[in-house]
Amino acid sequence: MVMLSILKHCNWKTSRNGKCVVAILRGMCEGPVNDTQKKPEHYDIIIGGGGLVGTTLAVAIAKNKTLADKRILLLEGAPPFKGFDVTKPYSNRVSAINKKTVELFESIGIWERITNARVKHIKQMQVWESNSDALIQFQHNHFAEDVACIVENDLILDAVYTELKNAAPNVEVRNKSQIMEVRLPLGKGQSEIKLRSDEKFSCELVIGADGANSLVRKEMNVDVFSIDYKRMGLVATLEVSEAGDNSVAWQRFIPTGPVALLPLSEKYTSLVWSTNIEHAKFLKDAPHDEFITKLNEAFCKEYQKNDFIVKAINGLNSLMGRSGGNMRQYPPRVHSVLEGSRATFPLGFLHASSYVCSGAALVGDAAHRLHPLAGQGVNLGFGDICLLVETLAEAAYSGAKLGDKHYLLKYEQKALAKNVPILIGVHGLHTLYSTTLSPVVLLRSLGLQLTHNIPQIKNIFMKRAMGYN
């Protein structure tokens, strides 16, 4: 600073050379520019959230020929994924994958890796009511196709992260990167992300795959319809006896809520039990033998039935030529639960009024959340991926910006058409099966039995469950 004062006093600043010297000395005195003032590093797409949907989306974009040259940043707040060990016991976090999701996994090159590890192919599903004799069974003719596939979540993540590492050079993954701030463009500008580490990034499009409490969604300022069911889901890994090939999924609606068994292998099954909060906490902490007794009772106990409802169901079956009644099967008996596998999680409903805005889009639980009774939650998220990648490829091929709202709205329209009927249907089922009032039990029992008895109606539900409109 002393040198600058001397130069100014000597009027060096009035000459061209003097200005250069002053500028150089000022830079030497003031030091380098602060890192926080640097221009943010730029990516074409930034994905917030490295869970099942976020990581799969990154691979799907990288594998798309039209989008293969796009630079992608995947931000995940958790430490690096530790991988999947097939020699370890089954996890209590599993997903029922439908046919449409399998096709997505095949297209991005991860399904073979998953099937080479361990997957359970479900050939039939039985759903039945405890307050009446109504039931429905889903299966393809001669069991030619799977109704669903049960896969551990960590196995899916392992396959996706392996594919990211081996075949997606344009994707950069940053772990322990928590998003603190999201700035979206008002017009045709760029979106910006700021991390808790003060690092900043810019992009054409930021995609919120950051779950039900999405920070990206909050910055988009869209209305959100949400319901706290004030209920909890209990999951556990069970060992069953005399299960045969154990390829049937079971779900029974009992007065406290639906309870389901999802086969994992010939010996092991995954439990999802939806109930009130107090009951869920009791089941989670109950002694082993007491828990097993309560669980087997949930599937086999005969609950009190209304005679009028029983006669109505029998009358419907007779009218439709099924006078022999329902051929109900019973699930294999559970004889143990893997230690440490019992866990609970809150249940609720959520839907964003819009999935997109200029420079941003939502996928998965950031856009919608539903009850697990139909096993459709993660499949809806994977369906979002297919539609969004298709839309982004169309925008890129046309020379448009990836964050162009005109193109993003096409994704939103298709996603809403796919998701809303399922969201409404599942929420409606939850509401219908949350009471034991006789008129409601009659209504839902007749609906369940009618669907079972009419193949055309049943096929519509099966196609929806498989991911097809």
Side-chain angles (χ1 to χ4, degrees):
M1 295 301 293
V2 174
M3 287 295 297
L4 283 173
S5 299
I6 293 172
L7 289 169
K8 288 178 182 178
H9 181 73
C10 295
N11 291 324
W12 277 45
K13 196 172 180 180
T14 59
S15 70
R16 189 170 183 178
N17 291 338
K19 288 182 180 180
C20 293
V21 174
V22 169
I24 293 169
L25 289 173
R26 180 179 284 117
M28 292 171 60
C29 296
E30 292 178 355
V33 177
N34 193 304
D35 284 344
T36 58
Q37 298 174 349
K38 287 183 178 179
K39 186 177 180 180
E41 188 173 358
H42 184 76
Y43 293 84
D44 295 297
I45 300 171
I46 295 178
I47 302 171
L52 290 177
V53 174
T55 51
T56 305
L57 174 61
V59 174
I61 295 173
K63 288 297 196 74
N64 184 280
K65 293 180 180 179
T66 309
L67 302 171
D69 63 336
K70 303 302 179 184
R71 194 174 178 217
I72 305 160
L73 176 63
L74 177 62
L75 298 173
E76 169 56 33
F81 179 64
K82 294 181 179 179
F84 178 81
D85 187 349
V86 73
T87 64
K88 289 186 177 181
Y90 283 91
S91 167
N92 61 4
R93 297 172 64 246
V94 305
S95 295
I97 300 302
N98 65 21
K99 187 175 181 179
K100 191 72 173 178
T101 297
V102 170
E103 291 176 359
L104 168 64
F105 288 176
E106 288 175 338
S107 71
I108 63 175
I110 67 170
W111 185 239
E112 184 177 358
R113 182 178 181 86
I114 291 172
T115 54
N116 286 342
R118 54 190 186 196
V119 172
K120 187 60 183 177
H121 299 271
I122 305 302
K123 297 299 183 181
Q124 184 183 34
M125 182 173 185
Q126 176 178 288
V127 180
W128 74 107
E129 161 83 67
S130 63
N131 295 117
S132 74
D133 292 324
L135 67 74
I136 187 169
Q137 293 169 335
F138 295 102
Q139 70 274 326
H140 292 282
N141 291 335
H142 309 294
F143 305 101
E145 293 185 63
D146 297 334
V147 174
C149 293
I150 309 300
V151 187
E152 292 159 277
N153 291 356
D154 281 350
L155 175 53
I156 299 174
L157 277 175
D158 183 71
V160 175
Y161 273 114
T162 300
E163 196 67 18
L164 276 176
K165 181 180 178 181
N166 296 337
N170 56 328
V171 178
E172 180 181 345
V173 181
R174 288 189 176 225
N175 291 95
K176 298 182 179 180
S177 297
Q178 296 182 335
I179 299 175
M180 185 176 72
E181 186 179 339
V182 179
R183 290 184 180 179
L184 301 178
L186 297 176
K188 297 183 178 180
Q190 297 177 341
S191 298
E192 290 191 3
I193 297 282
K194 183 179 179 181
L195 305 182
R196 291 194 180 277
S197 62
D198 283 337
E199 292 176 279
K200 294 181 180 179
F201 307 97
S202 65
C203 62
E204 287 187 28
L205 176 66
V206 57
I207 301 174
D210 47 345
N213 297 315
S214 171
L215 187 63
V216 176
R217 188 186 67 230
K218 291 175 183 176
E219 182 59 32
M220 289 170 63
N221 199 29
V222 298
D223 293 329
V224 177
F225 178 71
S226 63
I227 302 173
D228 181 0
Y229 287 149
K230 293 181 169 46
R231 301 175 72 79
M232 300 190 82
L234 171 78
V235 294
T237 304
L238 313 170
E239 189 170 357
V240 295
S241 58
E242 300 176 1
D245 65 351
N246 198 24
S247 61
V248 180
W250 312 87
Q251 182 165 262
R252 190 186 193 195
F253 288 97
I254 60 177
T256 56
V259 54
L261 295 179
L262 306 175
L264 297 171
S265 69
E266 292 184 1
K267 288 180 57 180
Y268 294 100
T269 289
S270 184
L271 168 71
V272 184
W273 192 341
S274 304
T275 184
N276 61 66
I277 295 174
E278 184 179 354
H279 189 221
K281 291 180 177 178
F282 163 76
L283 292 171
K284 180 178 179 293
D285 299 326
H288 179 275
D289 291 348
E290 184 176 1
F291 173 77
I292 296 301
T293 299
K294 295 290 185 184
L295 178 55
N296 284 317
E297 281 182 358
F299 283 100
C300 299
K301 180 180 177 180
E302 286 295 326
Y303 292 85
Q304 184 176 359
K305 296 181 176 67
N306 183 296
D307 289 340
F308 175 76
I309 296 175
V310 172
K311 290 178 181 178
I313 295 297
N314 291 336
L316 177 64
N317 285 332
S318 297
L319 184 66
M320 303 189 74
R322 294 176 178 264
S323 56
N326 292 322
M327 298 296 293
R328 182 185 305 164
Q329 305 174 61
Y330 285 94
R333 189 169 185 82
V334 178
H335 68 78
S336 68
V337 55
L338 266 61
E339 185 177 355
S341 70
R342 280 182 274 180
T344 57
F345 59 95
L347 300 176
F349 176 93
L350 178 148
H351 191 245
S353 61
S354 178
Y355 294 1
V356 303
C357 70
S358 292
L362 301 174
V363 293
D365 285 355
H368 42 72
R369 174 187 174 211
L370 72 168
H371 197 288
L373 66 88
Q376 289 300 307
V378 73
N379 288 305
L380 291 187
F382 289 132
D384 292 343
I385 291 173
C386 297
L387 297 176
L388 181 56
V389 172
E390 177 185 295
T391 302
L392 295 179
E394 182 183 347
Y397 185 79
S398 302
K401 293 285 187 181
L402 296 177
D404 188 331
K405 189 176 180 181
H406 170 74
Y407 281 93
L408 293 177
L409 282 172
K410 294 183 180 182
Y411 155 67
E412 178 181 271
Q413 291 167 358
K414 293 177 182 178
L416 288 173
K418 170 180 66 72
N419 295 339
V420 170
I422 294 175
L423 288 162
I424 293 174
V426 172
H427 176 65
L429 284 173
H430 164 72
T431 304
L432 280 174
Y433 283 96
S434 295
T435 180
T436 55
L437 290 174
S438 295
V440 179
V441 174
L442 174 62
L443 177 65
R444 72 197 190 199
S445 297
L446 289 173
L448 190 68
Q449 197 60 51
L450 195 65
T451 303
H452 177 66
N453 290 348
I454 303 177
Q456 292 84 350
I457 298 178
K458 187 192 292 190
N459 288 338
I460 292 173
F461 281 96
M462 287 186 66
K463 286 182 179 179
R464 280 282 183 180
M466 292 167 66
Y468 299 102
N469 292 333

